[in-house]
Amino acid sequence: MKIALFGRLFNESFTDSFKLMFDEFAKHNVEVDIYEPFYDFLIREINFKPPVNGYYKGCDDLNKDVDFVFSIGGDGTFLEAVTIVRDAGIPIVGINSGRLGFMADIAQDEIPQALSDIFEGNYTIEERNLLQLETSKNGLFPEFNYALNEFTVHKTDTASMITIHTYLNNEYLNSYWADGLIIATPTGSTAYSLSVGGPILVPNTQNFIISPISPHNLTVRPIVVPNYHEITLKVEGRSDSYLASLDSRSCTFDSSIELKIKKSDFKIRVLKLKTHSFYGTLRNKLMWGVDKRN
């Protein structure tokens, strides 16, 4: 088996679990490539020099023959791993070095059994839809214009709201007068969109969620639309520029740029343990049914 490790940093409390992973890799003759900045962090901050076969700095030099990419961190790290894997079709394994995540859902105390299940082939592969951003000119995010969670338009100042004229397949939907607007995938339904009142969608549903951020009119609510629709946004306001975000990556643009969002032509493959389920993660992460009263 060949794998690639991706990460940024983690707390000292995760060190023993991380070293245990390499013990298991050695027992099963796993060849490991590692993201070079992560390798430098391990040597500099953890004082650990893991035995690896090679290094990579980004998407271009990632070995596309690896069986898995292990993302070490949280959901934010997982989203960064997506920008490395892109359309290579390599399954991503989310190892959580902190609190439970929706994508990085293998907790620290589950690592030994999780690795055993992976080596024995006791897992499933889920495919997750992404969204793609296209612009009328001066292409935003030229490196990678896709997002697994969401695309967001937001005002850049703290004063007045902005107006986002929204169309579905060129049919006018609404002009959102708000602080911003989120276009979320089912995977992103438990992220930013959820925090502004958006619904939770099961990951394999074929939809987008359009969720306004602090809308002026309280009757304006999130709406779920099919993901085979193309969403067009035209933004205007008192400011000269606005903020566009794909997951955790952001840039500014002006009102002359028209934004188009559609389903991407490839999917991200995610390894899921058979002992895990989306509904179980919901209960644990959102503490459904937990009574915290004394």
Side-chain angles (χ1 to χ4, degrees), residues 97-194:
S97 61
R99 293 173 294 178
L100 176 69
F102 282 101
M103 302 302 297
D105 63 347
I106 299 176
Q108 186 171 344
D109 59 358
E110 294 180 305
I111 290 175
Q113 184 59 51
L115 292 177
S116 177
D117 288 342
I118 291 170
F119 295 142
E120 293 174 4
N122 190 25
Y123 57 82
T124 60
I125 300 294
E126 292 183 358
E127 293 189 334
R128 301 292 183 95
N129 287 314
L130 298 88
L131 58 78
Q132 178 181 359
L133 171 68
E134 295 180 345
T135 56
S136 56
K137 62 179 182 179
N138 301 329
L140 306 179
F141 306 98
E143 291 293 321
F144 188 64
N145 58 322
Y146 301 87
L148 179 62
N149 270 2
E150 71 270 315
F151 170 73
T152 306
V153 172
H154 206 285
K155 64 180 185 178
T156 55
D157 53 45
T158 58
S160 59
M161 290 180 282
I162 59 178
T163 303
I164 307 131
H165 305 293
T166 305
Y167 302 80
L168 297 177
N169 288 343
N170 294 320
E171 179 181 348
Y172 177 68
L173 172 66
N174 186 35
S175 292
Y176 291 95
W177 189 16
D179 284 352
L181 191 70
I182 302 167
I183 312 296
T185 66
T187 299
S189 70
T190 54
Y192 194 5
S193 175
L194 182 64

Side-chain angles (χ1 to χ4, degrees), residues 17-32:
S17 295
F18 187 75
K19 291 180 178 179
L20 179 147
M21 290 175 58
F22 272 90
D23 291 341
E24 293 299 315
F25 292 157
K27 290 178 185 177
H28 292 82
N29 299 313
V30 178
E31 297 180 13
V32 180

Side-chain angles (χ1 to χ4, degrees), residues 208-238:
F208 289 134
I209 308 167
I210 303 176
S211 298
I213 303 170
S214 301
H216 178 70
N217 299 315
L218 295 180
T219 56
V220 175
R221 311 307 301 166
I223 183 173
V224 178
V225 301
N227 67 0
Y228 54 79
H229 284 359
E230 182 178 83
I231 302 171
T232 302
L233 306 178
K234 301 175 183 179
V235 186
E236 64 178 356
R238 295 179 182 176

